[in-house]
Amino acid sequence: MEKSNLGNQDTIRANRSAWLLSGLFGVLSASFIVWGYQLEKNDSINISDQNSLLVLVLMILVFTIDTKHIWDNYTQSFHGRKFMGTFRLEKIFGQKWEEPGKHDFLISWIILIALNLPVLLGVYPGFFVYDAQDELMEVITRSFSTHHPLVHVLLLGGTIALVHKFTGSWNLGIATYVFIQMLVITAVFAYVISFMRKRFIGKRGRILWILYYGVFPPIVMFTLCSCKDGLFSAFLILLTVLLIELTENPQSFISDKRKIGLFICVAALVPCFRHNGFYAYLVFIPFALFYFRKQLKTAIVPMLLIPVILYVIISAALSAALGCEGTHHQEKLTVPIMQMARVYTYDKESLSQDEPSTLCDYIPDTNLDLYTPRVADLVKVAFNNEKYEQDSKSFWKLWFSLLKKHPMTYLNGWMLTSYGYWYPAADINVYKGTTVFTFTYDHSSYFGYEVEQPGERHSLIPAIDRIYRYISIGTFHDDYPVAALLLSPGLMLLIYLFTFMYRISQKNYKRVVPFIPIALTFLTVLLGPTYLPRYVLYLWTGFPLLMSTGSVSDLIKNNRCVNI
């Protein structure tokens, strides 16, 4: 009787926890949709709009109840009861888990390369965009800064300059770098697929994810793009794979010196391609130490800490050797800069006599006049770093003063540069009207698409070039809004939230911890200058791991039937 009462209490607590988490998901998802819609249409959130509040409340209720119902059905299915319907998950992931072949990695890698090569030829010499020219010029002029990760600057600029020196062709240099990068990224994808093949998925699942990594436009775009986001996302996903292995069997992992060495190398490489990866990893360490608290006397502590030391040494050594310029504080101050710029633009009359001059000491009025709600580049580019280093106190005093006067303006100023990450239907056209090297953004700025100088596009398969131009800067998102949702960062975020909260409700923490670096990295981009898919590419590259770990994979691996 006592055991029965304890079991009932555990069930009640578990049910209460599930309701709380489904409620949290309902609140977040409904808020994302309602507030995102307002920001998209009106450039501001209106919390006093009664109709919007009513819609928000109704959506919260519907999402909460439906989410709890889906979770309950899923849990019941896991324990042997069936969903309604006839579609079987194993038809997607593989009817039966089987021991993979020893050449699976090589075969997957070759197929992924073969899928990417026609696109590379179609957009030859590749997508040389997103600060690509700046990074190349740093190498050519030997004038370096810490604005861009130095490892990436040296790899990109060094490869292109070297090939150009021997061939005289900038295009060949760009194509060489893009091809090498493509080999690295597809090798990581092949490793991920092989890892899933060994643990979670069958042959059909392998085919599905090979096609996903080799054909899905956002992934292919950045696999063949010179920007640092492709390599950064690849190494972040590789780190996630290693964390999955670590959480599955900590003792086995930390007894394998090769695994420890690989983890240290990958964890040190992640921030070498994006500075925010370093901050995300720093915050992740306390989570990891708490989760692995029973193994603190093992090699796990130095394994987690050594990458931080290595990255600091690498960064300091490269900065000293290359004589880098000073720090660009505006990269960390994007949100407060945009918040004060919005007040200056829309509520200038509310400023005191001294506040405009104080603000202009840090940001020239010529740049404040260029304020656009969805992208910070034109405002922050002229930020006075020297003044900030001499007197940061006045900057923050002004920021707090304006916050007290205009809290909603501050909220809107921040949300407008980030809502595209969490509103599924967001129109990603932040650069509309901006003229670049070969075109002016008009219908969409989903992806940069072009080839910056000194490169020049010479498509060898024009049909492919037209397809990617259409998706990147054309009218695809207007012509096919439902299909465009599949390319939406906001939809991916909702999928991750839905999955994480279900696993937490089931106390399945070992399927959550490996994804914490991805989650923390995502939080850093909410403080960034705008919303673009390039900054959250890891949501797509990590999607197969998210879907192929957890209860579904356990069921399929054990060859159990799941109906939904």
Side-chain angles (χ1 to χ4, degrees), residues 280-291:
Y281 184 77
L282 277 180
V283 177
F284 166 70
I285 290 176
F287 285 96
L289 292 176
F290 178 78
Y291 182 80

Side-chain angles (χ1 to χ4, degrees), residues 206-419:
R206 179 191 178 200
I207 294 171
L208 171 71
W209 297 127
I210 286 176
L211 292 174
Y212 174 79
Y213 277 132
V215 176
F216 191 57
I219 294 178
V220 177
M221 287 171 177
F222 289 100
T223 299
L224 302 177
C225 179
S226 63
C227 70
K228 48 193 168 281
D229 304 281
L231 288 170
F232 171 75
S233 296
F235 289 125
L236 183 58
I237 298 312
L238 188 53
L239 179 65
T240 304
V241 169
L242 294 171
L243 287 171
I244 292 172
E245 289 189 89
L246 179 61
T247 54
E248 281 183 343
N249 194 335
Q251 294 299 332
S252 175
F253 191 97
I254 59 181
S255 65
D256 188 335
K257 293 182 179 179
R258 290 180 299 178
K259 288 290 185 184
I260 292 176
L262 180 60
F263 182 94
I264 291 172
C265 290
V266 172
L269 277 172
V270 167
C272 285
F273 290 92
R274 265 212 169 276
H275 299 311
N276 59 332
F278 179 64
Y279 305 119
Y281 184 77
L282 277 180
V283 177
F284 166 70
I285 290 176
F287 285 96
L289 292 176
F290 178 78
Y291 182 80
F292 295 109
R293 57 192 178 277
K294 295 181 180 179
Q295 287 86 28
L296 292 182
K297 295 182 179 180
T298 65
I300 201 164
V301 175
M303 183 184 76
L304 290 169
L305 296 179
I306 288 175
V308 176
I309 299 170
L310 282 177
Y311 171 71
V312 171
I313 292 173
I314 291 170
S315 298
L318 286 177
S319 295
L322 300 174
C324 291
E325 296 177 2
T327 303
H328 295 262
H329 295 289
Q330 65 264 39
E331 300 307 317
K332 302 175 185 177
L333 300 175
T334 294
V335 171
I337 287 173
M338 288 296 280
Q339 289 170 329
M340 290 192 289
R342 187 172 180 84
V343 172
Y344 181 88
T345 301
Y346 294 111
D347 300 291
K348 190 174 182 179
E349 70 283 352
S350 70
L351 301 180
S352 68
Q353 184 176 357
D354 296 331
E355 286 174 338
S357 60
T358 302
L359 179 58
C360 291
D361 286 340
Y362 296 95
I363 311 166
D365 56 355
T366 52
N367 291 87
L368 290 169
D369 291 337
L370 296 175
Y371 171 80
T372 54
R374 290 169 176 79
V375 61
D377 293 348
L378 295 177
V379 176
K380 70 174 186 175
V381 67
F383 184 78
N384 191 335
N385 284 283
E386 184 177 349
K387 171 66 176 177
Y388 183 80
E389 289 176 359
Q390 293 172 353
D391 184 16
S392 61
K393 183 177 179 181
S394 295
F395 177 88
W396 288 109
K397 182 179 179 180
L398 176 63
W399 184 83
F400 279 111
S401 173
L402 298 183
L403 170 62
K404 288 185 287 186
K405 296 178 185 177
H406 305 282
M408 281 306 300
T409 303
Y410 266 39
L411 179 64
N412 289 322
W414 176 27
M415 293 293 101
L416 281 164
T417 57
S418 62
Y419 79 94

Side-chain angles (χ1 to χ4, degrees), residues 54-128:
L54 178 61
V55 171
L56 178 62
V57 171
L58 291 175
M59 290 181 70
I60 289 173
L61 290 174
V62 171
F63 287 171
T64 297
I65 295 169
D66 284 355
T67 297
K68 179 61 166 57
H69 179 68
I70 292 170
W71 288 359
D72 286 345
N73 281 341
Y74 185 83
T75 303
Q76 291 169 8
S77 178
F78 183 75
H79 291 293
R81 284 165 258 167
K82 296 182 179 180
F83 278 102
M84 295 174 62
T86 58
F87 187 76
R88 294 171 181 261
L89 284 175
E90 63 264 34
K91 288 185 179 179
I92 294 180
F93 293 101
Q95 288 182 314
K96 184 179 180 181
W97 182 88
E98 300 172 357
E99 188 68 32
K102 59 182 179 180
H103 299 300
D104 269 14
F105 167 80
L106 185 59
I107 294 171
S108 297
W109 190 22
I110 291 172
I111 294 173
L112 288 170
I113 293 171
L115 290 171
N116 277 268
L117 277 177
V119 182
L120 178 57
L121 295 175
V123 300
Y124 185 85
F127 299 112
F128 187 64

